[in-house]
């Protein structure tokens, strides 16, 4: 045997004995095919994070690290002596006063080394495995021109095939930690976060391996971000260069840096899914260079800031652009996209590689103003097409772009290699534009070999094992038709669905207390039902407090949260008088009205910096949102609270609504956790609501297990902190449907319209947020769809639309139309606009 396969596994894959059985069977398969195997692994999950926090001075991480490694030693029945020695070493490493970057690298890589020792020891019992120390051969480049920290903490190595290494490694199976390397003087360096992929690429190149397999928890690289577009297709084959373009344009599956050494060594890369080992995955190699024009992927990067400079002086003026770029350079800002005309230059700053704050933008504006008129446009997104000879596809792209003519497309750029084209638009338009381009540019059939199954198809395959979930209103359709016949328009609610949702929340072992955000739906019977299930209440106005106490009893007050925003002073005084816990979300209150809160317990709502959610208007964090205390004021506020004996019971953050990505809460607990040292009296983190539900076709729903694990991990590091949540939508959305009768139908050219007896006065979410609700003709539930129509209301307003281009069966006057998932923010946001009464509420 003299040919290598390198396989790489991440932290979660090496943290359990079942996972190791799978890894052993993969090794066995490669051995049987005649290959030697080099296994590259990361640190046990959670360790590198804890080490990073330890380096920021968070001493409590040490006990987490102790527990984590002893747990793993016990799981794998490893002698504690190994762990004790490793921990002694960590103590020595962290004992230094002023830690330099090399020492920092030494501490960060400790997690990989201890994982390595434990796993080698464990595997030796069942297989002949040899430990390999990669720092013998992974040596940081001496020609790196970046600053010292980058050279040490995000090191790059020069690698080429090394024949003598091949001879030295005469056994069939080796195992090495990723991430770690040395510099030419023998000091520790590391390859940056996600650097284990790069380690694996380097070693594959040194060994001139047959291939590299990176095993992860996704299927591979897709033609779009599946979260924004469930029709995204798995890309089966890619050339390295295209994969690099995709990685750089926001399609993050791989660390972009790991591609280059493979490309140079001509080593194929297979991305494989650990949970679905027989799925095809994505293969990168030189063999897949396209020969005809084609788009592979459409990616979106959010949080792009545009700077536009208008000046007639740039005409024929030598050095104008040079002077302009010098200003960016002197502020340390790297420019991403540029477009120029005779009198205007517009360029983009990408948040990913710039630290952009208001102060920097202010300095930039001030200096650029000397050259012309400056405009800064924040909250943009870049939509990038990646493919081959994209210009040749203009006939397909142009019509899509022209339908966006009423939106601004700020910049269009095309790379000179014709491998990408980018459009910069407002953030809330980006996903829509991305989907529209995907629809016309990505093939839907199997005539082009590169495209595999869609994400939705892969998801459905997975879901097939689970029983189909039939919505409650399907089973209750007869009853609903009777109700609608004389009560339309009306909302109808199923309390059992609320119970199911609350039970799901109660299964989160890491959550100590659940509050229901009443504003989602404050119907008295619904409040009572939720209260009876043992849930507390979160309110945002005195009227909500009154409603809650009227429905659920005066005694609920001690568990009510009051979270007002820009409310008058008297509301705070009244709440404190009633003994209700108040959340303060503006420094103004603590300075101007401190006397109200002296000797009282309060919660502080912090702004974690960047909001999330399904629409710009529901993101409730970040500087574009009016909520929360900004980070730079916290030191002063901590002093002010001490001065007036204001007891901070806990910290709060609520970053948006309809969030399906569990990582959002990791950012929140990490941020709030990092603020805890300023408020030593705090015993609670309220991480807000915003838990998303399955709403759009293809939504996966929030991964509860992963969500709970994030919170459990946090609590194991902060054993004295209680975690609270305050969801609204999650509890009630699925429980309600809006029923309305068809009034009239209309055809305008190709466009059908179905008119209902209620519209935006009952349900404003589609008009306000572009929200998508499933719409069914309840009178014809078993009939086939025959045409597409816009479902509209009777209001004098163009935005009075409940659904666009819906596939409907033949629909007639008097049919009952059902708009699903309207239990949250439906009735509670309704109005009397046009003096039309909104739909009434009926509990089943
Ligand atoms: C609206 C709101 C919630 C609930 O949000 P959902 O998206 O309905 O879960 C929670 N906390 C605060 C402070 C809110 O304003």
């Amino acid at each position: 045997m003299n040919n290598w396969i390198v396989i790489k596994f991440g932290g979660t894959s090496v943290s359990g004995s079942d996972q190791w059985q799978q890894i052993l069977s993969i090794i066995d398969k490669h051995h049987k095919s005649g290959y030697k195997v080099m296994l590259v692994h990361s640190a046990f999950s959670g360790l590198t994070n804890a080490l990073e926090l330890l380096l920021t001075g968070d001493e409590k991480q040490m006990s987490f690290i102790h527990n984590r490694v002893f747990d793993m030693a016990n799981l794998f029945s490893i002698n504690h002596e190994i762990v004790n020695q490793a921990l002694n070493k960590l103590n020595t490493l962290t004992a230094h006063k002023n830690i330099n970057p090399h020492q920092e690298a030494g501490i960060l890589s400790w997690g990989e080394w201890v994982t390595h020792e434990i796993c080698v020891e464990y595997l030796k019992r069942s297989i002949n495995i040899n430990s390999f120390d990669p720092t013998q051969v992974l040596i940081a480049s001496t020609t790196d021109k970046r600053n010292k920290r980058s050279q040490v903490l995000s090191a790059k190595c020069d690698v080429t095939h090394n024949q003598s290494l091949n001879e030295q490694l005469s056994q069939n199976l080796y195992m090495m930690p990723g991430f770690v390397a040395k510099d030419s003087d023998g000091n520790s360096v590391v390859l940056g976060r996600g650097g284990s992929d790069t380690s694996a690429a380097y070693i594959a190149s040194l060994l001139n391996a047959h291939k590299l397999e990176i095993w992860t928890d996704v299927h591979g690289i897709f033609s779009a971000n599946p979260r924004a577009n469930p029709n995204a297709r798995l890309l089966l084959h890619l050339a390295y260069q295209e994969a690099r373009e995709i990685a750089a344009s926001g399609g993050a599956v791989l660390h972009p840096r790991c591609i280059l050494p493979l490309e140079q060594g001509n080593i194929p890369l297979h991305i494989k899914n650990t949970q679905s080992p027989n799925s095809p995955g994505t293969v990168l190699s030189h063999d897949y260079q396209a020969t005809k024009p084609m788009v592979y992927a459409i990616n979106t990067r959010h949080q792009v800031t545009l700077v536009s400079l208008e000046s007639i002086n740039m005409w024929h003026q030598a050095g104008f652009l040079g002077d302009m770029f010098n200003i960016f350079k002197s502020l340390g800002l790297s420019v991403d996209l540029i477009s120029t005309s005779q009198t205007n230059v517009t360029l983009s700053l990408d948040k990913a590689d710039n630290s952009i704050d208001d102060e920097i933008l202010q300095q930039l504006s001030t200096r650029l103003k000397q050259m012309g008129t400056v405009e800064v446009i924040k909250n943009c997104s870049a939509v990038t097409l990646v493919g081959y000879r994209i210009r040749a596809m203009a006939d397909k792209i142009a019509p899509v772009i022209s339908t966006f003519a009423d939106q601004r497309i700020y910049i269009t750029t095309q790379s000179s290699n014709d491998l990408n084209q980018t459009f910069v638009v407002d953030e809330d338009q980006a996903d829509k534009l991305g989907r529209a381009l995907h629809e016309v540019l990505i093939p839907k059939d199997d005539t082009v070999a590169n495209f595999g199954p869609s994400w939705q198809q892969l998801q459905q395959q997975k879901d097939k094992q689970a029983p189909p979930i039939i919505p409650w209103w399907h089973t209750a359709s007869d009853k609903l038709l009777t109700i609608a016949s004389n009560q339309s328009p009306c909302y109808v609610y199923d309390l059992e669905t609320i119970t199911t949702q609350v039970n799901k929340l109660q299964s989160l072992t890491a959550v100590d207390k659940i509050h229901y955000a009443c504003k989602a739906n404050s119907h008295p019977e619904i409040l009572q039902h939720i209260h009876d299930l043992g849930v507390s209440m979160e309110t945002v106005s005195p009227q909500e407090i009154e409603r809650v106490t009227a429905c659920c009893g005066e005694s609920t007050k001690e568990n009510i949260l009051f979270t007002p925003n820009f409310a008058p002073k008297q509301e705070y005084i009244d709440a404190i008088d009633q003994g209700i816990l108040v959340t303060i979300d503006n420094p103004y209150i603590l300075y101007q009205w401190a006397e109200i809160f002296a000797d009282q317990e309060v919660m502080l709502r912090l702004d974690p910096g960047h909001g999330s959610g399904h629409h710009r208007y529901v993101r409730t964090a970040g500087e574009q949102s009016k909520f929360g205390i900004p980070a730079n004021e916290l030191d002063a506020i901590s002093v002010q609270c001490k001065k007036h004996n204001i007891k901070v019971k806990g910290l709060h953050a609520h970053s948006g609504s309809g969030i399906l990505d569990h990582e959002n809460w990791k950012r929140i607990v990490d941020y709030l956790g990092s603020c805890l040292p300023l408020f030593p009296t705090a015993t609670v983190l309220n991480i807000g609501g915003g838990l998303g539900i399955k709403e759009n076709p293809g939504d996966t729903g929030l991964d509860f297990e992963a969500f709970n694990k994030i919170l459990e991990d946090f609590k194991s590091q902060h054993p004295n902190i209680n975690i609270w949540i305050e969801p609204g939508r999650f509890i009630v959305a699925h429980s309600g449907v809006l029923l309305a009768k068809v009034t009239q139908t209309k055809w305008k050219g190709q466009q059908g319209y179905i008119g209902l007896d209620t519209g935006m006065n009952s349900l404003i979410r589609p008009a306000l947020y572009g929200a998508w609700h499933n719409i069914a003709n309840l009178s014809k539930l078993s009939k086939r769809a025959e045409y597409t129509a816009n479902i509209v209301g009777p209001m004098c307003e163009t935005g009075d639309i409940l659904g666009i281009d819906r596939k409907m069966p033949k629909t007639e006057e008097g049919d009952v139309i059902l708009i699903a998932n309207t239990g949250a923010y439906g009735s509670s946001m309704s109005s009397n606009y046009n003096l039309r009464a909104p739909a009434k509420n009926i509990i089943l």
Side-chain angles (χ1 to χ4, degrees):
M1 283 205 268
N2 203 16
N3 210 349
W4 289 92
I5 288 180
V6 177
I7 56 179
K8 184 253 161 181
F9 290 86
T12 28
S13 305
V14 297
S15 303
S17 38
D18 287 353
Q19 284 93 329
W20 272 110
Q21 288 315 310
Q22 193 189 0
I23 297 176
L24 287 173
S25 78
I26 292 167
I27 293 172
D28 186 50
K29 207 176 96 200
H30 292 327
H31 277 164
K32 286 201 173 116
S33 312
Y35 292 101
K36 303 182 12 161
V37 174
M38 172 66 81
L39 190 161
V40 182
H41 65 86
S42 311
F44 291 133
S45 51
L47 275 186
T48 310
N49 263 346
L51 291 163
E52 273 182 353
L53 287 169
L54 188 67
L55 279 165
T56 66
D58 183 353
E59 301 285 335
K60 290 193 297 289
Q61 298 301 326
M62 214 40 154
S63 67
F64 169 81
I65 293 168
H66 271 247
N67 293 342
R68 185 89 180 111
V69 288
F70 277 114
D71 282 353
M72 295 318 285
N74 292 339
L75 177 71
F76 294 121
S77 317
I78 302 295
N79 190 331
H80 282 192
E81 197 39 40
I82 292 184
V83 176
N84 282 324
Q85 279 179 16
L87 285 168
N88 286 341
K89 193 154 169 224
L90 180 60
N91 285 332
T92 319
L93 287 169
T94 51
H96 299 281
K97 272 255 153 51
N98 296 313
I99 291 183
N100 67 34
H102 288 297
Q103 289 163 332
E104 199 172 316
I107 293 169
L108 285 173
S109 56
W110 180 86
E112 262 71 13
W113 284 114
V114 71
T115 302
H116 187 71
E117 284 181 50
I118 290 176
C119 291
V120 168
E121 199 61 27
Y122 166 69
L123 287 176
K124 270 186 179 161
R125 293 178 203 148
S126 48
I127 191 167
N128 182 12
I129 194 161
N130 304 277
S131 164
F132 176 67
D133 177 355
T135 64
Q136 294 176 35
V137 289
L138 297 188
I139 310 296
S141 163
T142 48
T143 56
D144 194 340
K145 293 276 186 312
R146 297 170 305 158
N147 63 42
K148 177 78 178 172
R149 276 188 73 77
S150 302
Q151 285 181 31
V152 174
L153 296 171
S154 174
K156 296 179 188 172
C157 304
D158 295 323
V159 291
T160 47
H161 178 207
N162 176 339
Q163 188 56 40
S164 66
L165 180 64
N166 259 336
E167 282 152 22
Q168 181 199 331
L169 301 179
S170 57
Q171 306 288 312
N172 285 340
L173 177 59
Y174 290 85
M175 171 161 156
M176 64 171 246
F179 189 52
V180 301
K182 288 243 158 93
D183 72 6
S184 51
D185 298 325
N187 299 310
S188 284
V189 302
V190 289
L191 305 181
R193 263 341 262 275
S196 293
D197 288 352
T198 312
S199 293
Y202 284 154
I203 200 76
S205 176
L206 285 164
L207 294 170
N208 190 25
H210 172 67
K211 67 172 170 179
L212 164 62
E213 289 179 353
I214 291 186
W215 289 82
T216 131
D217 54 2
V218 296
H219 283 284
I221 300 177
F222 282 85
S223 60
N225 176 1
R227 291 211 178 274
N229 186 352
N231 294 325
R233 294 186 69 178
L234 182 65
L235 296 170
L236 302 174
H237 314 297
L238 281 174
Y240 300 105
Q241 201 176 19
E242 292 150 4
R244 255 193 290 131
E245 296 271 348
I246 290 174
S249 68
V253 171
L254 289 176
H255 197 293
R257 195 183 292 161
C258 85
I259 299 173
L260 191 64
L262 300 171
E263 183 174 4
Q264 286 168 343
N266 195 12
I267 295 159
L269 166 62
H270 292 221
I271 302 170
K272 304 277 282 177
N273 187 346
T274 347
Q275 282 142 36
S276 174
N278 298 322
S279 293
T282 300
V283 181
L284 269 54
S285 91
H286 277 306
D287 300 340
Y288 300 120
Q289 191 54 58
T291 48
K292 58 174 202 254
M294 171 175 315
V295 168
Y296 295 107
I298 296 144
N299 285 311
T300 304
R301 274 166 304 150
H302 294 298
Q303 293 220 284
V304 169
T305 299
L306 290 182
V307 181
S308 147
L309 179 65
E310 191 90 33
S311 167
I312 43 164
N313 293 337
M314 68 181 84
W315 248 16
H316 305 302
Q317 223 219 67
F320 184 90
L321 284 178
D323 292 345
M324 176 173 166
F325 281 115
N326 271 331
I327 295 176
F328 283 86
K329 187 176 165 196
S330 68
L331 292 170
L333 292 170
S334 83
V335 170
D336 184 24
L337 305 165
I338 312 171
S339 94
T340 55
S341 71
Q342 286 184 330
T343 58
N344 175 288
V345 186
T346 301
L347 41 78
S348 74
L349 304 169
D350 189 341
K351 191 127 189 179
D353 26 70
N354 286 295
S355 56
I356 308 169
D357 54 28
D358 274 346
E359 206 179 303
I360 289 269
L361 288 178
Q362 195 55 51
Q363 286 178 28
L364 180 68
S365 288
T366 312
R367 293 181 55 183
L368 286 175
K369 270 187 188 132
Q370 293 157 11
M371 307 183 69
T373 315
V374 183
E375 189 186 3
V376 175
I377 308 159
K378 293 199 227 175
N379 293 322
C380 294
S381 295
V383 178
T384 300
L385 309 178
V386 177
Y388 174 71
R389 289 186 50 209
I390 293 183
R391 262 180 272 251
M393 305 194 65
D395 59 327
K396 285 190 170 172
I397 297 170
V400 178
I401 297 303
S402 70
T403 62
F404 276 77
D406 54 338
Q407 307 296 336
R408 275 184 76 179
I409 292 183
Y410 297 106
I411 299 189
T412 306
T413 62
Q414 216 155 25
S415 67
S416 54
N417 60 10
D418 207 7
L419 293 178
N420 72 56
Q421 180 168 14
T422 297
F423 304 94
V424 180
V425 295
D426 282 326
E427 203 163 81
D428 49 359
Q429 293 302 316
D431 285 342
K432 214 159 95 187
L433 176 61
R435 278 195 292 264
L437 287 167
H438 194 276
E439 182 69 22
V440 299
L441 295 171
I442 303 294
K444 292 191 185 55
D445 51 25
D446 292 329
T447 51
V448 185
N450 295 53
F451 296 95
S454 74
W455 185 80
Q456 200 165 10
Q457 284 166 339
L458 290 164
Q459 207 58 31
Q460 278 160 359
Q461 280 169 13
K462 208 167 100 189
D463 289 347
K464 265 193 195 133
Q465 285 110 30
I469 300 158
I470 299 168
W472 65 267
W473 51 262
H474 238 269
T475 353
S477 61
D478 288 345
K479 225 192 273 179
L480 293 177
L481 283 170
T482 314
I483 292 173
S485 68
N486 48 27
Q487 311 241 38
S488 168
C490 57
Y491 279 103
V492 183
Y493 302 97
D494 173 54
L495 294 181
E496 250 175 69
T497 302
I498 294 182
T499 310
T500 311
Q501 292 299 93
V502 168
N503 289 343
K504 271 191 217 165
L505 295 173
Q506 287 167 336
S507 76
L508 293 167
T509 54
V511 170
D512 298 284
K513 199 167 170 196
I514 304 167
H515 299 84
Y516 167 60
C518 295
K519 70 177 191 292
N521 191 319
S522 46
H523 189 280
E525 277 179 66
I526 291 179
L527 290 182
Q528 256 167 26
H529 182 74
I530 294 172
H531 171 71
D532 290 346
L533 292 167
V535 174
S536 305
M537 297 289 158
E538 190 263 345
T539 58
V540 292
S541 70
Q543 293 74 14
E544 282 190 354
I545 296 178
E546 232 169 86
R547 171 74 62 89
V548 166
T549 47
C551 300
C552 313
E554 284 289 314
S555 65
T556 48
K557 273 188 188 159
E558 55 195 81
N559 285 313
I560 291 183
L561 295 180
F562 182 45
T563 318
N565 177 249
F566 289 105
K569 186 175 177 181
Q570 192 61 37
E571 292 188 6
Y572 294 85
I573 297 175
D574 293 345
I576 296 268
D577 275 353
Q578 298 182 73
I580 290 172
L581 185 57
V582 176
T583 301
I584 292 177
D585 92 333
N586 185 354
Y588 180 94
I589 297 173
L590 289 168
Y591 293 111
Q592 303 303 319
W593 310 335
E595 74 284 356
I596 305 179
F597 304 101
D599 307 322
Q600 299 291 333
E601 282 198 319
V602 298
M603 301 285 290
L604 296 184
R605 177 171 185 169
L606 312 189
D607 184 344
H610 179 230
S612 309
H614 62 78
H615 187 273
R616 183 157 51 130
Y617 291 166
V618 299
R619 275 171 230 147
T620 50
E623 62 188 49
Q624 296 308 311
S625 138
K626 65 177 180 146
F627 298 97
I629 299 171
N632 59 3
E633 303 222 24
L634 290 179
D635 284 328
I637 279 180
S638 146
V639 173
Q640 172 74 356
C641 288
K642 267 195 214 108
K643 187 168 146 203
H644 294 270
N645 194 30
I646 300 171
K647 293 174 228 162
V648 177
K649 181 183 172 77
L651 303 180
H652 170 266
H654 169 71
S655 62
S657 199
I659 304 166
L660 293 166
D661 180 6
H662 51 266
E663 291 293 326
N664 170 65
W665 281 277
K666 168 134 182 56
R667 287 190 290 270
I668 289 191
V669 290
D670 282 350
Y671 177 68
L672 293 180
S674 75
C675 302
L676 281 171
L678 283 175
F679 303 99
T681 52
T683 55
V684 173
L685 291 193
N686 180 351
I687 58 172
L691 282 70
I693 51 163
K694 285 192 191 190
E695 237 166 344
N696 302 302
D699 275 354
T700 42
L702 183 62
D703 182 342
F704 257 59
E705 226 171 284
F707 177 41
N708 196 45
K709 178 156 188 318
I710 284 167
L711 304 182
E712 286 290 5
D713 284 351
F714 179 85
K715 285 178 88 171
S716 67
Q717 295 174 55
H718 300 88
N720 302 323
I721 297 293
N722 282 320
I723 291 197
W724 295 358
I725 56 174
E726 47 180 28
R729 175 192 316 279
F730 186 88
I731 294 180
V732 288
H734 284 312
S735 77
V737 294
L738 173 60
L739 303 180
K741 275 193 198 159
V742 174
T743 51
Q744 311 172 15
T745 57
K746 179 187 278 186
W747 283 94
K748 267 192 170 178
Q750 293 299 303
Q751 184 66 56
Y753 288 90
I754 295 175
L756 304 183
D757 59 3
T758 195
M760 67 193 296
N761 56 330
S762 292
L763 182 66
I764 201 172
R765 300 187 72 243
L768 191 61
Y769 311 130
W772 188 94
H773 288 274
N774 186 16
I775 298 182
N777 184 332
L778 202 61
S779 309
K780 311 244 161 78
L781 212 44
S782 57
K783 295 279 192 312
R784 216 162 33 88
E786 290 189 6
Y787 66 113
T788 58
N790 290 350
I791 318 296
V792 300
M795 318 300 287
C796 293
E797 198 76 41
T798 309
D800 186 23
I801 295 182
L802 298 175
I804 295 177
D805 284 345
R806 297 311 176 87
K807 295 213 159 50
M808 300 297 284
K810 197 160 171 293
T811 296
E812 299 160 305
E813 181 184 346
D815 282 356
V816 175
I817 301 292
L818 176 143
I819 299 129
N821 291 343
T822 44
Y825 306 105
S827 177
S828 65
M829 289 179 95
S830 64
S831 75
N832 279 300
Y833 186 42
N834 284 194
L835 290 186
R836 285 186 190 275
K840 54 184 109 30
N841 290 297
I842 295 169
I843 309 277
L844 260 197

